[in-house]
Amino acid sequence: MEAEALIAQSASSGLIEQSAATALRRQIADLSLKLGEIPARLQRVPGFPAKLKDFSRFQIQKMYDRNDFSLASKKEIQTALKLLKDVAKDNSRLLEKI
C-alpha cells in the first residue's frame, strides 16, 4: 500500500517518530479491515450484514456518512461499523499487552 510505504520512508528518514509510524500503520489496518475478515464468532451475531462482507470499515463509514443506504439499511451499516470497531479495539488491547 502506498501510504504504508510513505510511512516507512518517513520513519526511516526521521521525519516522524517510530511511535507515530506505528500508530498510523495501526489506523490504516483498522480502516482497511473488511467485514468478512472479522472473527467467525462475530459473523454469527443476529442481523449480521453479510452483503457488506467485502467492504472495508472505511468504505462502510463513507456510506454511513453520505446517508447512502442503497446497499444496506442504516441498521445494517451501523451493525457493521460496531463490529469492525469492536475488532479494532480488541486488536489494540492485544498489541498494548505485547
Side-chain angles (χ1 to χ4, degrees):
M1 193 178 209
E2 200 173 316
E4 290 174 351
L6 290 172
I7 292 168
Q9 286 178 338
S10 298
S12 66
S13 65
L15 292 173
I16 61 173
E17 292 184 24
Q18 285 297 331
S19 60
T22 300
L24 289 170
R25 284 188 197 104
R26 187 178 302 152
Q27 187 175 16
I28 289 170
D30 290 345
L31 291 172
S32 300
L33 181 65
K34 292 185 178 181
L35 188 61
E37 296 171 348
I38 66 172
R41 65 180 169 74
L42 294 176
Q43 291 186 33
R44 290 189 292 268
V45 300
F48 179 79
K51 57 185 137 193
L52 296 174
K53 69 180 172 83
D54 294 327
F55 291 91
S56 69
R57 178 179 170 189
F58 178 78
Q59 293 169 316
I60 296 169
Q61 184 66 53
K62 288 294 176 195
M63 285 179 210
Y64 184 77
D65 292 344
R66 290 188 309 245
N67 289 322
D68 178 4
F69 306 117
S70 58
L71 294 176
S73 70
K74 183 176 183 177
K75 177 126 177 79
E76 289 172 317
I77 289 176
Q78 288 172 330
T79 300
L81 287 173
K82 181 179 181 343
L83 291 169
L84 288 164
K85 288 176 184 177
D86 287 349
V87 169
K89 191 185 317 177
D90 287 346
N91 288 343
S92 292
R93 274 193 237 131
L94 286 175
L95 287 174
E96 288 171 7
K97 291 180 182 180
I98 294 174

